[in-house]
Amino acid sequence: MRLVLVGPPGAGKGTQAQFLAAHFSIPHISTGDIFRANLKAGTDLGNQAKSYMDRGELVPDSVTNEMVRDRLTHDDVANGFLLDGFPRNVAQAEVLRAILADKKTPLHAVLEFSLANEEIIARLSARRTCRDCGAPSVGVDKCPTCGGEVYQREDDKAEVIARRLEVYAEQTAPIISFYRNEGLLISVSAAGNVEDITASAISALSRVAQ
Ligand code: AMP
């Protein structure tokens, strides 16, 4: 199963991606997580990405596309993958299509999580992230997953959230029509509880992507 998840920041893509990746036994590839891991490790890639991430802007395609191209050469993608946070604009979607066409392994489906703007802002402002494992949480001092220290991501602060939503509307939302035209798009509401959303996503994917 080769999948892409699309949706505004705060729609719960990361959380759903983990459940879906486990359900379909495929690796979860989050470009945001890869950038944050590089930032933490102080690599060149992390340093290149930091100023863009802190402002809620997209990291340049030249950097991001090469990182994904490289990730898709790893052995663990032989049986599929779930991309979360990539592509983020039409140019990236075209690069992904070309990479997969070369390997003769096209996408099976693109799952869109939709959510109203007010709900997105409420979720992102309340979100905290674990410094150790990266898991999101709300209203706790320690990470519920690993007990690590939680912090507010620079880009979950109010002024940056507004910019991320603009970037999503201007640059990322056009990929939804791109994938609809390719006949790959499946849309699921991201409102409600996590288990119900996972169940709707799995049921929609099992119908379409066999
Ligand atoms: P995320 O964790 O998916 O919300 O991503 C956090 C930040 O990483 C984004 O706001 C961007 O600055 C950067 N980023 C993640 N994925 C991409 C991408 N596909 N293209 C460009 N920048 C990205």
Side-chain angles (χ1 to χ4, degrees), residues 3-5 13-18 21 26-38 45 53 64 67-68 71-72 76-77 81-88 127 133-134 153 164:
L3 294 177
V4 163
L5 295 196
K13 291 189 304 295
T15 306
Q16 292 299 332
Q18 291 192 348
I26 48 179
H28 168 206
I29 303 177
S30 155
T31 42
D33 284 352
I34 301 176
F35 282 133
R36 278 184 292 280
N38 276 275
L45 180 65
M53 294 176 77
T64 309
M67 179 177 92
V68 171
R71 180 64 185 83
L72 292 177
D76 65 348
V77 303
F81 54 78
L82 189 159
L83 274 172
D84 159 18
F86 184 94
R88 276 287 227 284
R127 178 166 77 178
C133 74
R153 272 168 52 174
R164 288 167 76 198

Side-chain angles (χ1 to χ4, degrees), residues 8-163:
K13 291 189 304 295
T15 306
Q16 292 299 332
Q18 291 192 348
F19 289 122
L20 295 172
H23 179 84
F24 293 110
S25 303
I26 48 179
H28 168 206
I29 303 177
S30 155
T31 42
D33 284 352
I34 301 176
F35 282 133
R36 278 184 292 280
N38 276 275
L39 212 65
K40 197 171 164 192
T43 67
D44 281 351
L45 180 65
N47 296 334
Q48 278 176 294
K50 180 173 172 29
S51 66
Y52 298 96
M53 294 176 77
D54 284 350
R55 284 179 287 130
E57 302 291 340
L58 295 186
V59 176
D61 288 353
S62 53
V63 175
T64 309
N65 289 339
E66 288 323 300
M67 179 177 92
V68 171
R69 189 189 299 280
D70 173 71
R71 180 64 185 83
L72 292 177
T73 63
H74 294 193
D75 291 345
D76 65 348
V77 303
N79 293 323
F81 54 78
L82 189 159
L83 274 172
D84 159 18
F86 184 94
R88 276 287 227 284
N89 59 31
V90 172
Q92 293 182 2
E94 280 166 350
V95 166
L96 178 64
R97 184 170 58 186
I99 295 173
L100 298 179
D102 268 356
K103 291 153 57 108
K104 301 195 171 38
T105 54
L107 289 174
H108 293 100
V110 174
L111 187 63
E112 176 202 5
F113 288 110
S114 56
L115 195 65
N117 265 8
E118 307 76 70
E119 177 70 11
I120 294 170
I121 294 167
R123 284 193 193 181
L124 287 179
S125 324
R127 178 166 77 178
R128 297 295 179 269
T129 300
C130 177
R131 277 196 201 284
D132 294 335
C133 74
S137 57
V138 176
V140 289
D141 293 334
K142 295 274 171 219
C143 171
T145 307
C146 75
E149 184 195 356
V150 299
Y151 74 110
Q152 184 172 36
R153 272 168 52 174
E154 209 43 54
D155 58 351
D156 281 346
K157 297 189 174 157
E159 42 316 338
V160 187
I161 293 175
R163 180 62 193 143

